[in-house]
Amino acid sequence: MTFGIRFENPGNTLVFDSGALHYRYFSKPSPTAVGSISGGVHTPYRFRVTLPSSSHVPMPAVRPVNGRVVKVRDVVPAGGGDWDIYVWSVTITGSDDQRDAVQVAPELYVFAPMIASSDQFGVRLFRQDGSVSFDSGFKPLMFRQTIAFSASAGGGSNWDTTPLPNQPDMTGFYQGDSSSVPSVAIPVILGSGGYSEANAELVNASEPADRWEYGWSLTSGGALSRRRLWAGTEKPSYTLDLAQSAGSEVAIQWQLAACTALVVEGSGL
Amino acid sequence: MSFGIRCWDSSGVMTFDSLSAVGGVTVDIVSTQGSLSVSSTVTRTYPEHAGRTIEVVDVSGWNFEPVTWSASSDYALGHPRVVFTLPAGGRWFLFVVLVK
C-alpha cells in the first residue's frame, strides 16, 4: 500500500481501507411490481433503484423475519443508473411447503458506492485516482457479523410412499439449517441462501423433480435460518413420472451449497 | 473506547466504529452476465492486498434455473486472485469480494 489509510480490528481483520469500495446506505425502496404465486409459479417482487452513476452497482440486502422466507433472486442492470432487483418473499405455511405459500412484501435495503455528501465537516477520504472512497456524512455499509452455512447433501434414505407432489409435508426435502443469532437489533442480510436441487427417484429412473431455492428466515429463538423456498418443477416429464408413482416409493436426494451471510445493522436505516 | 476510530455525521449519529466492524472490507463487486451459449470465466486479481485473505459472497448467484457457478480463489501470484466460472445461459450474477 502506497497511498491512503487502513484500519484493522483487534482480531487483525481489515475493517477499513481508503482504497476499497466503500458502500453507503442508499434507500429502502418500495416494490414497483408485486410478487405473486399462481399455478405453482413464483413471480418475485421487483424493485427499481436509480443510482447516481451508471458505473455504480447496488448491493441489496433483505431483512429476515420469523415465519417468512426472503431471498434476493436477481440484480439486473436496466440502463443508465437503473437497476432491477427481484426478491422472493413468502410466508412459511403450516405444512412448511412453500408451494402454497403466500407472497408477502419484503423489506429490501439497498446500498450504493460512496459519493461526497453535503456535510460541511467530518471525514472524507479519496482514492489515488481522486474518487471519494469514504464520507462520514453517509451511513457506511459496515458488516457487523458473518455467519457461515455449510454445504449439505443428503436424502436417499428418506423414502416416502406418498406420490409427489401431493405430499403435505415433503419431509425428504431438506428443510434448511440455522446458525448463530444475529448480534444486531434489526438484522439485514447480504448474501444468497444457496440453491438445492432435489431428485425424485421413481420407478428405477432418476429425474430431477423439484428445485428449491434457499432464502433467509429467523427461527422463533432468533437464530438466522436458511429455509427452502420452492422454485418450480424441473421437467414436464415429471408429470409422467407421477402417473407411475402412485403407491410406489420415492427417494429424494438433495444438495445445498455453502454460503456466507453478511449481517448489517438495519436499525436507523 | 480506548482505541480505534469512530465517525459521526452532522446530526450526531455514529456512522462508523472500527471496533464494531467485522468481516473485512469490500474490495470488489462483480456484476457480470454469463455468456448465452458457452460457459465463461472472469478473473480478478488484487495485488494491493498481498498477504491478506479474501472471501467471495454471492449476492444473487442462484436463480430459478439450475445453474452452477464457481468462484475459486488462490494466492499463487503472491496476492489474491479469484476466477469466476459462469455457466451459459446469459443470466446476471452479483458477487462481493471481501479482503480480511
Side-chain angles (χ1 to χ4, degrees):
Chain A
M1 183 179 191
T2 58
F3 186 93
I5 59 174
R6 286 177 175 169
F7 306 132
E8 295 179 346
N9 68 12
N12 296 324
T13 296
L14 189 66
V15 296
F16 188 90
D17 183 334
S18 59
L21 278 179
H22 287 285
Y23 269 63
R24 63 190 169 102
Y25 169 69
F26 182 70
S27 69
K28 189 177 170 186
S30 298
T32 51
V34 175
S36 64
I37 302 175
S38 178
V41 176
H42 281 242
T43 301
Y45 284 81
R46 188 186 71 187
F47 298 79
R48 164 119 352 146
V49 294
T50 301
L51 303 186
S53 168
S54 60
S55 64
H56 287 181
V57 177
M59 265 202 239
V62 289
R63 179 182 179 182
V65 177
N66 181 239
R68 301 179 185 175
V69 183
V70 60
K71 175 191 185 68
V72 172
R73 200 203 75 172
D74 265 321
V75 183
V76 180
D82 289 347
W83 288 81
D84 286 333
I85 301 169
Y86 296 89
V87 181
W88 269 330
S89 177
V90 302
T91 57
I92 297 173
T93 62
S95 66
D96 196 23
D97 181 350
Q98 280 82 43
R99 287 171 186 278
D100 54 357
V102 177
Q103 293 273 12
V104 57
E107 286 189 43
L108 176 69
Y109 295 75
V110 178
F111 298 87
M114 275 285 184
I115 57 174
S117 76
S118 58
D119 273 11
Q120 297 301 306
F121 74 97
V123 175
R124 183 175 298 158
L125 299 171
F126 300 84
R127 299 185 190 87
Q128 200 159 5
D129 64 4
S131 60
V132 174
S133 70
F134 180 84
D135 189 311
S136 59
F138 289 115
K139 296 182 175 70
L141 173 61
M142 187 168 61
F143 304 127
R144 297 289 302 274
Q145 187 180 3
T146 61
I147 301 178
F149 287 79
S150 303
S152 300
S157 61
N158 296 306
W159 294 85
D160 195 314
T161 57
T162 305
L164 293 168
N166 300 318
Q167 294 168 313
D169 183 1
M170 296 183 183
T171 54
F173 284 96
Y174 190 52
Q175 303 283 354
D177 47 1
S178 59
S179 191
S180 310
V181 174
S183 60
V184 299
I186 298 178
V188 175
I189 308 300
L190 258 160
S192 168
Y195 167 86
S196 174
E197 182 173 279
N199 290 278
E201 188 173 301
L202 304 171
V203 290
N204 298 320
S206 181
E207 294 283 351
D210 277 2
R211 291 192 306 276
W212 297 86
E213 298 278 353
Y214 283 78
W216 301 114
S217 185
L218 288 179
T219 68
S220 57
L224 182 65
S225 167
R226 59 174 176 175
R227 298 289 297 267
R228 66 196 178 115
L229 170 68
W230 183 65
T233 300
E234 173 68 18
K235 294 180 177 180
S237 60
Y238 173 55
T239 303
L240 298 177
D241 288 335
L242 279 178
Q244 302 170 30
S245 66
S248 64
E249 291 185 322
V250 177
I252 296 169
Q253 293 180 312
W254 47 263
Q255 56 183 354
L256 179 59
C259 70
T260 298
L262 302 172
V263 182
V264 177
E265 174 60 90
S267 177
L269 298 182
Chain B
M1 184 180 192
S2 56
F3 67 96
I5 186 168
R6 287 175 174 167
C7 292
W8 289 263
D9 65 14
S10 56
S11 60
V13 175
M14 187 185 298
T15 58
F16 183 80
D17 180 351
S18 63
L19 289 183
S20 296
V22 302
V25 299
T26 304
V27 293
D28 203 0
I29 183 159
V30 180
S31 172
T32 186
Q33 186 178 27
S35 166
L36 279 174
S37 55
V38 296
S39 63
S40 56
T41 61
V42 175
T43 301
R44 299 291 184 102
T45 59
Y46 307 98
E48 66 275 22
H49 292 289
R52 294 198 176 274
T53 59
I54 58 173
E55 180 173 5
V56 177
V57 175
D58 68 291
V59 176
S60 65
W62 303 107
N63 196 352
F64 188 84
E65 296 85 11
V67 297
T68 55
W69 55 267
S70 66
S72 174
S73 58
D74 68 72
Y75 305 89
L77 300 175
H79 54 259
R81 171 175 60 183
V82 185
V83 178
F84 298 92
T85 302
L86 309 174
R91 70 153 307 211
W92 283 89
F93 296 84
L94 182 59
F95 303 101
V96 176
V97 182
L98 304 170
V99 167
K100 297 183 174 179

